[in-house]
Amino acid sequence: MSDNKNLSFDFKFLEKLIIGIGEVSQITGIPCRQIRYWEDKGIIKSLTEEEGKNRRYNYENIKKILLIKELLEEGYTLDASAKKLESRMQMIESALKKLNFDEESDEK
């Protein structure tokens, strides 16, 4: 039972985790310039809305960056990595919708 409490805390923490591009670069080992390029290509999206402001990223984007890095290291091209990433995100979204539907059915 206490394990569920700890998991709940972790998810709440991850939802609030927002860090700057410099920290993302340090965590992932990906240069800031490359992160900006991936964003320009539409592969990831920062939370920054105003031009000239520091780019900030959430946990989901950090996970995407790490997955792209892994795929590139495995020999995928950037475009192939982006397609694989999109496919994986759709699969996860679909699974989460099914879980949410199941939870709503249980509540009735």
Side-chain angles (χ1 to χ4, degrees), residues 65-88:
I65 291 168
L66 289 171
L67 178 59
I68 293 167
K69 177 183 178 184
E70 181 181 323
L71 292 169
L72 291 171
E73 289 171 352
E74 290 177 5
Y76 286 86
T77 65
L78 182 57
D79 288 338
S81 298
K83 287 179 185 175
K84 194 162 184 76
L85 173 68
E86 183 63 31
S87 173
R88 183 162 302 172

Side-chain angles (χ1 to χ4, degrees), residues 21-80:
I21 192 169
E23 290 106 340
V24 173
S25 177
Q26 288 177 343
I27 291 167
T28 63
I30 303 293
C32 294
R33 183 181 60 214
Q34 194 168 6
I35 295 170
R36 285 191 289 274
Y37 177 70
W38 294 352
E39 186 175 349
D40 290 343
K41 287 192 59 103
I43 299 170
I44 59 170
K45 184 174 180 354
S46 73
L47 305 178
T48 308
E49 296 179 4
E50 296 178 38
E51 189 69 30
K53 294 284 185 178
N54 290 336
R55 296 175 192 221
R56 307 198 54 81
Y57 299 89
N58 61 8
Y59 177 72
E60 179 181 340
N61 277 294
I62 295 168
K63 295 263 304 180
K64 286 179 179 182
I65 291 168
L66 289 171
L67 178 59
I68 293 167
K69 177 183 178 184
E70 181 181 323
L71 292 169
L72 291 171
E73 289 171 352
E74 290 177 5
Y76 286 86
T77 65
L78 182 57
D79 288 338

Side-chain angles (χ1 to χ4, degrees), residues 7-17:
L7 272 177
S8 174
F9 170 77
D10 287 346
F11 286 124
K12 287 179 183 176
F13 171 75
L14 293 178
E15 288 174 2
K16 295 176 184 175
L17 178 67

Side-chain angles (χ1 to χ4, degrees), residues 101-108:
F101 176 75
D102 289 343
E103 288 177 6
E104 289 173 0
S105 298
D106 291 343
E107 290 175 4
K108 293 180 180 179

